[in-house]
Structures are given as structure tokens and as C-alpha cells.
Amino acid sequence: MQSLFGSFFAFVVAAALGLGATWLTLTRGTAFGAVAIGAWTAWPKTGTTEIDPYARAVVARSGRLPLGSGDGVAFEARNDDRGKAFDGRCDVVVSGTTPPARFWTLTLYDPDGRLVANTVNRYGFTSQEIVRRADGSFDIVIAPRARPGNWLPTGGVGRYMLVLRLYDTPVGVATRTERDAPMPAIALRSCP
Amino acid sequence: MMRLVIWILAGVVLGGIVHLVTVLVLPRTATQDAYMRIEPLTPVNAVAALPTPSPSTATLPFMDPAFAVAVCRYDLSETPLKLTAPVSQAYTSVSFYTRYGVAYYAINDRAAGRRLIELELMTAAQKSRLPDDEEVTAADRLIVESPTLTGLVVLRALSPEPGSMPVARGILAAAQCRPNPLEG
């Protein structure tokens, strides 16, 4: 009788731990093969056949297709350089330069990877669209209300994330540091 | 007391197994993965355009709205395929995914180095049946080997500004994916 209760208890512990760990790793993501530069993180191996089992599970569950490594690499950011999670009611400035690439795009998504509705139907910028300074650097202002220059609307959502995709770029599996890939800074400018 | 510790330990070990098994099995049991979402929208072994993503409708999550996207959902069980795609002024890429979403090959217009990206897709078994001499004469043939019988070829054409989206979609409308039986 005691061993019956014992094994039942063990099974409950196993189910809670096992499924809990799976759920956590799939929703939070793992650090395997991650390249973190400033507030940006990329998983270049996710676009190769060496993708790890956790990333495979995340890809399958979310329904996305990862960017193939011969195509480009995607950097994600969910918070600014100081670690504060993005809030769609605040003004955030993405500025500086980007790593070498033939083209890049910056896109704003909700945490589930959907585009966010806004009055001007702008969901992101490409490297050719943005207004730059004479030295090639740029500012993109992510804000709920219209701003001069490169304005990326948040649509007033709560949480959101930014994805910077570099196409035809040397940045990839071999990239480790800021020197290989100088990512733009992300700063909180103001909050209501 | 000792007995309780042993049961907890047994639970932890078993929990580790449950965790590993669920992670490994998940890709095979997911009902909403990219292939399943694309399947009802596309014919097999032909190129079909995916609608441009918008906040209310998106075929897949995390699609790049700056790109026109077309898909060739393939099945190599009958014959190999031949894929041709013209390249745009801006940027065009072709990415290959297995049935379970593993990106096993991707090439862009510059790497392809021509006005037309031309690829042959086949399984390892089909490739091994290529006549030897043919392989020699076909040094400039680009052959991609699919690890699975079915999968997705995703063609992407960049629209550097919103106004050029019709051009990007037009480029992909001229792309082709068709059965290409082995000779002999």
C-alpha cells in the first residue's frame, strides 16, 4: 500500500517537473547557441541543420519558419539596453549603426509574432527607407504617437518585441562579440 | 523519511525523462507548425504566393512584412523537382525546409550569381541514381539534397520600400517549381 502511494507520488512529481520544465524552456527560450549583443539576441544555429532540440520544439510549436543561415540572421529584443521590458506607451529610440549586411529590416511584433495594427500601416523599416545622418547613422523612434523622422508606431500595445533581420551578412554562427556585429543601441526616451 | 527521499528522487529522474521525451516528440506532434499552416493554402509541387502579412491575417508568425513570399510545397516521392526563380533588383532568396521546419539549405541571388536562380531538388537516393558522366558534365548544376521526402521551398523577394511590393510579387509570380524526372 505504501509503495502504491509512493509511486503515485513519484509520478506526480515527475509529471509536474517534466512538463513544467518543457513549458518553461519553450516559452522562455534557451541559451543554447545564443549570440547576445547589447539587448539583442540571435540564435544563428536555428537556421541550420544543427538546430538544437529545444529550438526545434519552439519552432514547431509557434509555427514560424526560422531564417536559413544562407539567407540571413534575426536578432530579437524584448527590452531596452537597461533591461526594461518594452512598453508600447513609451518612446524608445533605436540608434547607431548595424552590422555589415546587404539589407536589413527592423520589424515590431506583439509577443506572439503578430504585426501590430496602427493608423499608418507601418510595421517596420528596411535599410533603404530610413532617413540617415551624413555619417550613415540613424535614429528610429518607436512611439505610440507620430514623431518626426523615422517613426515606428507601437499602436499603443502593452508588450512588444523588435526583430532586426540582417540579409546576406557575414554575421552568423561564428559571431561572438560586439566587434563582429555592432548592434544599434536601444534607449528609453520617455514614458507617460 | 528515507523512503520519501527515494520517491522524490525517483520522481525527479522520471521528470527529467518526461521533459526530454516531450521536447523531442513535440515537433512530430505539433498540429500548428509551419507546414500544417501552409498546406491548405498551397498545391503540391507548384509555386503559390502567400498573402502579405497584416495585423489581422498572417499565414505564419514572425513573417517579415518587407518581403513578398511564395512557397513550393514539395513531395519528392515520384520524381525530383526543378526550381527556377528570377532575381529582383533588390534581394531574392530561396530557403529549403524539411517537413518539420528545419532549414537545411538557403541561397540568395548573389550567391547564385545569375539572373535566374536554378536549382534541382532531390533525395539522396535519387541523387545516387544520377548517371556518373552526367555529374561530370553538370558541374554548374546546383543540386540540393532533401533529407525528407516532403518539405517547403520558400522564395522571398525584398520590397525595399512599400511601393515596390508589386514588383517583388511579380518576380515571384514568374518562379516555377515542377517535376523533373531523372533520365534513363
Side-chain angles (χ1 to χ4, degrees):
Chain A
M1 198 59 189
Q2 211 179 11
S3 64
L4 189 71
F5 275 117
S7 51
F8 179 74
F9 174 71
F11 278 128
V12 170
V13 170
L17 278 180
L19 298 179
T22 300
W23 184 80
L24 264 184
T25 51
L26 294 196
T27 48
R28 299 264 173 93
T30 59
F32 300 126
V35 176
I37 297 170
W40 303 93
T41 310
W43 288 266
K45 276 210 172 131
T46 299
T48 71
T49 50
E50 286 160 50
I51 179 171
D52 69 77
Y54 289 100
R56 283 191 67 163
V58 170
V59 163
R61 186 170 164 273
S62 69
R64 72 173 87 173
L65 284 176
L67 208 52
S69 63
D71 193 6
V73 61
F75 281 86
E76 298 179 0
R78 291 163 193 271
N79 52 262
D80 64 32
D81 286 340
R82 293 194 165 172
K84 189 174 182 306
F86 292 142
D87 182 334
R89 292 164 300 180
C90 301
D91 284 21
V92 167
V93 183
V94 174
S95 63
T97 51
T98 53
R102 213 160 110 211
F103 288 97
W104 55 257
T105 64
L106 180 76
T107 314
L108 187 148
Y109 297 98
D110 73 8
D112 295 322
R114 281 186 297 254
L115 300 173
V116 176
N118 61 73
T119 49
V120 289
N121 294 331
R122 174 161 293 283
Y123 312 115
F125 282 99
T126 71
S127 47
Q128 287 207 343
E129 284 176 294
I130 55 160
V131 182
R132 293 168 195 264
R133 284 184 285 268
D135 66 353
S137 66
F138 60 84
D139 284 344
I140 295 174
V141 185
I142 299 143
R145 265 176 287 277
R147 296 288 180 266
N150 306 305
W151 170 50
L152 182 52
T154 65
V157 285
R159 294 274 171 264
Y160 65 88
M161 59 187 288
L162 298 173
V163 179
L164 181 69
R165 293 185 177 88
L166 308 170
Y167 291 99
D168 199 355
T169 173
V171 176
V173 179
T175 304
R176 288 280 166 270
T177 63
E178 175 100 50
R179 206 141 41 107
D180 304 328
M183 297 297 292
I186 309 177
L188 180 65
R189 181 191 274 172
S190 62
C191 252
Chain B
M1 190 59 207
M2 191 58 204
R3 194 168 276 250
L4 181 67
V5 172
I6 289 172
W7 284 123
I8 288 178
L9 275 181
V12 170
V13 171
L14 207 58
I17 296 170
V18 167
H19 170 60
L20 290 180
V21 168
T22 47
V23 166
L24 291 176
V25 164
L26 204 143
R28 309 251 157 199
T29 55
T31 53
Q32 281 294 301
D33 68 1
Y35 189 92
M36 298 286 241
R37 289 174 197 234
I38 285 173
E39 194 176 23
L41 306 174
T42 56
V44 71
N45 294 341
V47 176
L50 293 187
T52 311
S54 73
S56 50
T57 58
T59 312
L60 308 175
F62 294 103
M63 285 175 81
D64 190 334
F67 278 75
V69 181
V71 169
C72 168
R73 181 166 64 85
Y74 67 80
D75 181 349
L76 300 173
S77 51
E78 303 280 328
T79 66
L81 292 183
K82 182 162 196 155
L83 192 99
T84 50
V87 302
S88 69
Q89 291 288 319
Y91 175 86
T92 313
S93 72
V94 184
S95 310
F96 295 78
Y97 299 90
T98 67
R99 160 67 186 82
Y100 296 105
V102 175
Y104 63 90
Y105 185 73
I107 191 169
N108 64 50
D109 48 2
R110 193 167 285 173
R114 303 180 199 172
R115 304 290 310 147
L116 190 74
I117 300 178
E118 213 168 355
L119 297 158
E120 289 176 63
L121 181 64
M122 56 186 76
T123 61
Q126 286 161 346
K127 194 176 176 190
S128 69
R129 271 186 288 155
L130 281 181
D132 288 341
D133 55 326
E134 205 175 315
E135 263 189 284
V136 179
T137 56
D140 61 350
R141 266 166 82 185
L142 202 39
I143 296 176
V144 180
E145 216 178 288
S146 173
T148 53
L149 270 183
T150 56
L152 302 168
V153 183
V154 178
L155 305 109
R156 296 187 175 98
L158 175 67
S159 159
E161 43 216 66
S164 54
M165 189 52 92
V167 178
R169 298 190 76 82
I171 291 279
L172 295 188
Q176 280 194 324
C177 176
R178 56 178 189 276
N180 185 36
L182 292 172
E183 289 140 44

